[in-house]
Amino acid sequence: MITFLLAIVLLIAAYFTYGKIIERIFGVKENRQTPAYSMKDGVDYIPMGTNRNSLIQLLNIAGVGPIFGPIMGALYGPVAFIWIVVGCIFAGAVHDYLTGMISIRNKGAHLPQLAGKFLGRPMKHMVNFVAVLLLLLVGTVFVTAPAGLIFDLIGGGVGLSVIIGLIFVYYIFATLLPVDKIIGRIYPILGALLLISAVGIGVMLIATGAPVPELTLQNMHPGGEAIFPILMITIACGAISGFHATQSPIISRTTQNERNGRKIFYGMMIVEGIIAMIWAAAAMSLFYGTDLAALINSGGAGLVVSEVAFTLLGAVGGTLAVLGVIVLPITSGDTAFRSARMIIADYIKLPQLKIASRLWVALPLFVVSFILTNMDFTILWRYFGVTNAAISAIALFVGAMYLGIQYKNHWVATVPAVFMTMVALTFIFSAPIGFGLPMTVSYVLAGTGTAALTGLFAWKMKLNRAEKEFELDADTTEKAA
């Protein structure tokens, strides 16, 4: 229990300490007009309050990642706590803050545009494809996961395919309508439900004196799976997730002032890390090693969610907690499709003021996603995981380049970018869904590839620094919002 409580304290303290350091390095300009005002269009660019934006950002980035991921990561034992805390503070929250703030400085641009601008034009095309692929995988995963939870909650009273269809209908409306019509109105309420359910689980862990294991570096995974890189792939959203880089621009287009960025972007990632810690601790304390593995194998992480919720909170509280978990993927799935629409529209330069234009872009996405729902969830999750890691590395390199061009401390982003590059490449070389090579060979190849990519990054930074007219930020009016 001491390890668990200390981890929560470290996460909260990081917001007030390391979060301020990152904010100071970036250099907030409170008098700079944000895109919410300079590009206001009534659809995607709409000024919204900080608390509202914060809850929307939390729901956008959370999904089932900080719950399902930590539950599966709990198989490794307390070493998972280290990754959640260190990854969240020094990688994930930095990633989210920099992508959100750089987007604000560049008219609410999405990651493909930012990658093209700071890392080179070829990266724009590659990242555009990978980002849309990631969002399709996210949208699909976040249809099947909540559909299964709803199906179990109502005892199979409604067919699974019907539930999936109803979720898709909601996604269509949330994707097409202006951001303040559905997302801006119901997300704060759903965010409160999410927080209440997570806090309820955490409080009951403490109140009941649950046997949360203390810190150890031992790998307790029953199957003996390697901690590096599989733990980092499994626990993504609770530590660092490239998916967040696709979500932050939604809120960068509704943020009223740059000073709100630390709360919205860095702060909400810290909250997600706390949620991840709670669910990892619950899974470890209530189900030990092989018992947890058996539960996951028989009913997936969703079954563990139900067992934890009803064991700790009873019938009523358990139902509310499960509803809170159901809310997470649905409120990330809809914005995943919304982000995909916006990225594609930006790429092909198609204005989104008319609903017909939005529909033309969105419908093919839903068709492809519906087809993908027939794939096995575990396979989908692994593909999502490695794509997620790759995007996070690219987003961090964008942040590092933005800081490096200005001769600011880019290492706060460069170090986690290099680490996540190594994670993604090692997984690609070693995993069965990749090349399936021996782990030792994978380490060597991944290390070589990481070194080469890091060298290219350093070379590109030197070129960008030498370009005297490099347009770091998009022109806007220096006017208080």
Side-chain angles (χ1 to χ4, degrees):
M1 184 64 75
I2 294 175
T3 300
F4 170 67
L5 293 175
L6 179 60
I8 299 295
V9 170
L10 288 173
L11 286 168
I12 295 172
Y15 171 75
F16 297 100
T17 54
Y18 199 65
K20 282 190 175 181
I21 292 173
I22 298 300
E23 182 182 55
R24 193 177 304 118
I25 292 172
F26 180 81
V28 168
K29 296 180 180 178
E30 295 188 22
N31 292 328
R32 181 184 171 90
Q33 192 176 57
T34 63
Y37 293 98
S38 63
M39 301 182 68
K40 187 175 180 180
D41 65 0
V43 178
D44 295 317
Y45 294 87
I46 300 173
M48 294 196 297
T50 306
N51 291 335
R52 195 177 179 192
N53 274 332
S54 296
L55 283 174
I56 293 172
Q57 172 73 359
L58 175 61
L59 287 170
N60 284 357
I61 66 176
V64 289
I67 298 176
F68 281 23
I71 285 174
M72 292 187 285
L75 290 170
Y76 291 87
V79 69
F81 293 155
I82 299 176
W83 169 235
I84 292 172
V85 173
V86 175
C88 184
I89 294 172
F90 297 105
V94 174
H95 168 283
D96 289 12
Y97 181 80
L98 290 178
T99 52
M101 295 302 291
I102 296 170
S103 177
I104 287 176
R105 291 278 179 90
N106 286 271
K107 300 181 179 180
H110 275 276
L111 184 60
Q113 295 170 290
L114 297 176
K117 178 175 181 177
F118 293 100
L119 302 180
R121 188 173 296 275
M123 287 297 293
K124 176 181 178 180
H125 305 299
M126 187 192 81
V127 175
N128 196 82
F129 171 78
V130 176
V132 172
L133 173 63
L134 174 63
L135 289 166
L136 272 174
L137 290 172
V138 168
T140 305
V141 167
F142 292 172
V143 167
T144 56
L149 286 170
I150 294 172
F151 181 79
D152 292 337
L153 190 63
I154 62 177
V158 178
L160 187 61
S161 59
V162 175
I163 297 172
I164 289 175
L166 290 173
I167 293 175
F168 267 120
V169 170
Y170 164 72
Y171 281 179
I172 291 172
F173 282 107
T175 301
L176 299 179
L177 292 176
V179 69
D180 62 338
K181 298 304 180 187
I182 293 181
I183 293 173
R185 291 182 179 179
I186 69 170
Y187 269 37
I189 299 171
L190 298 179
L193 176 61
L194 158 66
L195 292 175
I196 290 170
S197 64
V199 169
I201 297 292
V203 168
M204 290 306 296
L205 283 175
I206 298 171
T208 59
V212 181
E214 300 299 345
L215 183 61
T216 174
L217 298 180
Q218 181 182 355
N219 182 359
M220 297 182 175
H221 196 287
E225 289 191 346
I227 291 175
F228 185 92
I230 302 177
L231 177 61
M232 290 75 196
I233 295 291
T234 302
I235 303 180
C237 293
I240 177 172
S241 169
F243 169 63
H244 298 185
T246 68
Q247 299 301 289
S248 293
I250 294 178
I251 303 304
S252 74
R253 300 182 181 195
T254 62
T255 301
Q256 295 175 322
N257 194 292
E258 286 192 6
R259 68 172 177 269
N260 304 328
R262 182 164 64 93
K263 179 178 181 180
I264 294 171
F265 300 117
Y266 196 98
M268 292 306 102
M269 181 61 216
I270 291 296
V271 172
E272 186 178 30
I274 293 171
I275 294 172
M277 280 295 306
I278 289 171
W279 282 99
M284 286 184 210
S285 63
L286 297 183
F287 311 102
Y288 297 96
T290 54
D291 293 335
L292 178 59
L295 204 58
I296 292 174
N297 289 334
S298 64
L303 179 58
V304 179
V305 168
S306 298
E307 292 289 333
V308 167
F310 287 104
T311 298
L312 290 177
L313 301 177
V316 176
T319 300
L320 289 175
V322 172
L323 287 174
V325 174
I326 290 171
V327 160
L328 275 174
I330 291 178
T331 53
S332 288
D334 57 7
T335 51
F337 286 113
R338 188 179 190 89
S339 293
R341 170 182 66 78
M342 293 161 69
I343 288 174
I344 293 172
D346 289 347
Y347 185 73
I348 63 178
K349 300 185 181 343
L350 180 66
Q352 296 290 279
L353 293 178
K354 295 181 180 179
I355 194 167
S357 298
R358 288 173 247 156
L359 191 63
W360 185 84
V361 176
L363 276 183
L365 295 172
F366 289 115
V367 171
V368 174
S369 180
F370 184 77
I371 294 171
L372 289 175
T373 57
N374 295 312
M375 286 184 63
D376 179 75
F377 178 83
T378 303
I379 296 175
L380 274 174
W381 188 265
R382 287 293 171 93
Y383 277 114
F384 158 69
V386 68
T387 309
N388 207 19
I391 288 289
S392 71
I394 293 169
L396 282 166
F397 274 126
V398 168
M401 185 67 74
Y402 183 89
L403 297 175
I405 292 172
Q406 304 172 79
Y407 294 91
K408 294 182 177 181
N409 180 12
H410 66 85
W411 294 107
V412 295
T414 301
V415 171
V418 171
F419 180 81
M420 290 310 297
T421 301
M422 185 69 182
V423 167
L425 289 179
T426 304
F427 186 82
I428 290 170
F429 285 124
S430 64
I433 65 171
F435 292 98
L437 299 175
M439 191 59 72
T440 304
V441 176
S442 299
Y443 286 146
V444 173
L445 291 176
T448 303
T450 299
L453 291 173
T454 304
L456 283 174
F457 168 76
W459 172 76
K460 182 64 177 175
M461 182 184 290
K462 184 177 180 180
L463 289 182
N464 286 344
R465 283 175 171 176
E467 188 179 335
K468 303 298 182 183
E469 301 300 321
F470 191 93
E471 186 187 357
L472 195 66
D473 301 319
D475 292 333
T476 188
T477 305
E478 292 289 334
K479 178 182 177 182

